[in-house]
Amino acid sequence: LTAAQLVRDGRPLPVSLERAMFGDPRHNIRVRSGDHLYVPAARGRTITVIGEVRAPRIVPYGYGIRLTQAIALAGGLGPDAHRKDIRVVRGDLAAPRVYQTSIRALVDGEGPDVELAPGDIVYVTRTGVANVRDALASIAPILSAAQAVGITFGFYYATRP
């Protein structure tokens, strides 16, 4: 909400939606017909957990959140999860960095519980996904849809006074 803007007659108004939500009357203004309210996607403050988990979801980012915590918040690993091949997609989706990690190594005490960064996408592969290209190809439609939803739902157009 800190980057949200209300645009009236082509100009942004000096209003803070965050302050309005906390009851500051100077920022709690009436939206008029023709106003545009832009609320940017919160991808930078969330972690997306998809793939072979029981309940794929977007979880809030918290400082120090670990891979195991994010997977637990998504209901845990699914029955077809590849426990040795979990991908963390980080950075710009046009040119992401992809890291591979293993829950099996973590459980065996041979690997770290990766600390996640804001905006990370955790993709739990299915047993049999061979390489990074296959993993990215598997999640490409989901990433495209996520970007489209962020754009589609990023705007509110007031039509009633």
Side-chain angles (χ1 to χ4, degrees):
L1 288 179
T2 57
Q5 284 192 322
L6 179 61
V7 178
R8 181 173 288 159
D9 299 324
R11 293 189 322 236
L13 295 179
V15 62
S16 166
L17 295 181
E18 192 171 37
R19 288 182 183 172
M21 288 183 61
F22 286 107
D24 186 333
R26 295 173 296 162
H27 294 273
N28 191 6
I29 64 170
R30 185 177 298 270
V31 177
R32 296 182 189 164
S33 181
D35 285 354
H36 293 269
L37 178 60
Y38 172 67
V39 180
R43 182 178 174 266
R45 292 171 39 186
T46 60
I47 295 167
T48 304
V49 185
I50 55 176
E52 293 301 314
V53 291
R54 296 189 188 279
R57 68 186 59 222
I58 295 174
V59 298
Y61 170 78
Y63 178 77
I65 189 169
R66 302 286 178 173
L67 177 68
T68 53
Q69 292 171 298
I71 290 173
L73 289 169
L77 297 174
D80 294 328
H82 194 311
R83 284 154 173 74
K84 292 183 181 179
D85 187 15
I86 296 173
R87 309 294 169 111
V88 177
V89 180
R90 183 170 289 168
D92 184 6
L93 296 180
R97 293 177 309 232
V98 180
Y99 303 95
Q100 181 179 5
T101 188
S102 168
I103 292 292
R104 173 82 36 103
L106 173 64
V107 170
D108 292 343
E110 299 170 0
D113 192 359
V114 177
E115 184 173 335
L116 299 173
D120 278 355
I121 298 169
V122 174
Y123 176 61
V124 179
T125 64
R126 172 177 272 236
T127 303
V129 173
N131 57 40
V132 172
R133 187 176 11 167
D134 291 344
L136 285 176
S138 298
I139 63 173
I142 297 166
L143 296 178
S144 295
Q147 285 181 320
V149 167
I151 292 167
T152 302
F153 294 108
F155 286 96
Y156 170 77
Y157 181 70
T159 56
R160 298 177 190 228

